[in-house]
Amino acid sequence: MQALPPPPPAIEAPPIEAAPVAAPAPDRSEATTGELRVAAALTDAQVHVDSGFTGASIVLYGAVFNPTPDPVDVVVVVRGPDAPVRLVKKTRNMGVWLNSRPVLFEGAPGFYMTASTRPLSDIADFGQLRRLGVGVDHLRIDAPEEAGTVTRYGVRDVVVSRLGDDYLDWRRAVIRLKEAAALYDTDPDGVEFVDRGLFRAEVKLPTVAPTGKYYAEVWLFQGGEPRSVSNLTLTVEKVGIERDIYEFAHRRPWLYGVLCVILAALTGYGASRIFSRRD
């Protein structure tokens, strides 16, 4: 009989090591550990205005990358297209109230809002906010540099360039009228952190919001100083027949006026014929 081969040597299995415990996830992305910045976006960058427009609400959202242990603040500033503002003041002369000479401010934004994580005065000092133009109290609304006269829609305006001490009163009047029309707004609690580093703010456009291009600035403050800014754009435009009429009225104002007169005359003539038949 043939001898069987010897059995193979036993192979000892390596000792089973305990699975390594997963390290906790870092608080911030490794790619941003050395950079303090803010990033933001809009849920909708275009707003269409038609005959049924009743205003719009747009959400501005973003993230803060903060590699430092110091807290930060976020300030959102949205500014609409500039437009001239004509003001008159009631003055009493010999017991009769009369309108003063009109003052025409140029460059006042048609829409302006600020939203922040807390009041602006707690975020930065007066000089810093004034330099950046952040906040209604620091908004640049300048009177024309040179005096002169302009005529718009048949009304002659006297442009006053040096208002002296009365400038602040006129400027407050501009802001007061815009706030009454819901075109200027300040919300010290308008920026809300929904998660660690993630925030949101709501931009509310009223029915009378001017059309054109809007500019949004998202400022990141730390220790009273601006550390980063993110710039966005928003377009508000007319659509449909409203846009066609608007463009026609501005491109051919004389023809538009003539057509309006003719249409009013035809409407009045048609109404008179209908009521005359009933009599």
Side-chain angles (χ1 to χ4, degrees):
M1 293 180 64
Q2 186 177 2
L4 295 175
I11 301 176
E12 295 182 0
I16 299 176
E17 298 180 357
V21 179
D27 292 341
R28 53 187 180 275
S29 172
E30 294 294 337
T32 59
T33 54
E35 185 180 5
L36 174 63
R37 65 185 180 93
V38 62
L42 293 166
T43 55
D44 195 353
Q46 287 188 338
V47 176
H48 294 159
V49 178
D50 54 16
S51 58
F53 181 72
T54 58
S57 178
I58 302 170
V59 175
L60 185 150
Y61 62 94
V64 173
F65 304 99
N66 183 14
T68 69
D70 299 330
V72 295
D73 287 290
V74 176
V75 178
V76 175
V77 179
V78 181
R79 179 176 182 137
D82 293 349
V85 179
R86 178 179 175 270
L87 296 178
V88 294
K89 180 190 292 186
K90 290 288 186 179
T91 59
R92 189 168 184 173
N93 296 323
M94 301 179 64
V96 179
W97 289 97
L98 300 174
N99 289 336
S100 65
R101 294 189 306 171
V103 175
L104 186 66
F105 282 87
E106 295 180 352
F111 177 87
Y112 187 86
M113 68 150 284
T114 59
S116 52
T117 51
R118 52 182 178 150
L120 293 176
S121 58
D122 297 338
I123 296 176
D125 58 21
F126 181 89
Q128 191 68 261
L129 296 174
R130 175 59 57 90
R131 183 178 66 85
L132 298 175
V134 174
V136 173
D137 294 336
H138 311 286
L139 185 60
R140 299 183 183 95
I141 305 178
D142 298 330
E145 297 179 356
E146 297 180 0
T149 57
V150 295
T151 302
R152 285 190 173 94
Y153 308 110
V155 179
R156 188 178 185 185
D157 292 339
V158 178
V159 180
V160 181
S161 60
R162 300 185 182 277
L163 300 177
D165 296 337
D166 294 337
Y167 167 76
L168 294 178
D169 294 334
W170 289 97
R171 183 182 179 281
R172 293 191 192 99
V174 173
I175 295 175
R176 185 175 64 253
L177 293 175
K178 293 289 187 179
E179 288 177 338
L183 292 171
Y184 283 11
D185 184 37
T186 301
D187 190 352
D189 300 316
V191 177
E192 177 187 4
F193 277 96
V194 296
D195 200 350
R196 180 177 299 180
L198 302 179
F199 65 90
R200 71 184 298 275
E202 189 174 4
V203 181
K204 297 180 181 180
L205 298 178
T207 307
V208 294
T211 57
K213 184 167 290 188
Y214 289 59
Y215 298 94
E217 297 175 343
V218 183
W219 290 94
L220 182 65
F221 284 85
Q222 186 181 59
E225 298 290 334
R227 301 298 184 182
S228 176
V229 63
S230 179
N231 296 290
L232 307 170
T233 58
L234 169 67
T235 303
V236 179
E237 60 180 355
K238 294 180 180 292
V239 295
I241 189 173
E242 291 82 6
R243 178 177 181 177
D244 297 334
I245 295 175
Y246 177 84
E247 292 181 350
F248 177 74
H250 283 77
R251 291 177 181 176
R252 296 178 176 85
W254 286 103
L255 181 58
Y256 176 77
V258 172
L259 291 178
C260 287
V261 172
I262 294 176
L263 180 61
L266 292 177
T267 302
Y269 176 76
S272 64
R273 292 297 302 269
I274 292 174
F275 286 108
S276 64
R277 290 178 181 178
R278 291 181 178 180
D279 296 339

